[in-house]
Amino acid sequence: KRMGLYSSIRSYCIARKCNSTTVQKKITSGLLSRVQNGVTNRNLRRRVMIIAVDKTSLSEAATVHSISWKKSHCSFCSASFIEQHTPERQREYLERKMNVGSKIFMLVEEMPIGIVSVTDSLIEDLYILPDKQNMGYGTKLLQFAVSQCIGTPTLWILENNINAERLYLRMGFEKTGRKNTIRNGLDEIEFALT
């Protein structure tokens, strides 16, 4: 079950010339002490937990975010821009979000698998490790994020993210018609739960 994150960590460490065993041990040791405080999702056969990310679990969340973000953006972002999104940089990004009131949650099944952030009714940063996608984890994490929203849940996706759009439409979200231009020819589109 752990091979997904481990293989992702191994690939990351090979590129960075760092010790993947050290990174794996660091993630495992920091996470196991906090799992008992998580929220158990009893709908899955496996023990899946969704835990609130705090300062002690921020590095694990940042690693999942970095790996997943890079994979989801590699087809349309430059390699140099992709490489800037290291776990350290994503940790700073998530920490800034937490400091202004965003709640960040991590889905765990023995190891971290995905993350999401919620700010009032805005859902952001829904990322599942690439080799754990299409297994129901994104749906479970999205359902949890919706339950954390104060008002009507909304989210934004890049218009070329067909997989995310399919998930959100299946879960009852609809396009609002609002768009933000990110760069030449690429827009971000808003969805709201109806």
Side-chain angles (χ1 to χ4, degrees), residues 62-125:
T63 299
V64 171
H65 191 282
S66 173
I67 292 166
S68 305
W69 189 95
K70 286 179 177 185
K71 180 66 174 175
S72 70
H73 289 71
C74 68
S75 65
F76 57 90
C77 290
S78 70
S80 62
F81 185 67
I82 294 288
E83 288 309 311
Q84 292 175 20
H85 291 78
T86 63
E88 296 78 21
R89 180 176 174 182
Q90 299 315 97
R91 184 184 197 288
E92 293 170 5
Y93 164 76
L94 294 174
E95 188 169 33
R96 280 193 307 273
K97 289 187 69 115
M98 290 171 63
N99 288 340
V100 296
S102 292
K103 296 176 187 171
I104 301 171
F105 301 97
M106 185 164 47
L107 185 140
V108 179
E109 180 189 49
E110 294 182 23
M111 293 296 298
I113 292 174
I115 69 162
V116 68
S117 68
V118 179
T119 309
D120 298 324
S121 295
L122 179 62
I123 299 170
E124 296 180 298
D125 304 304

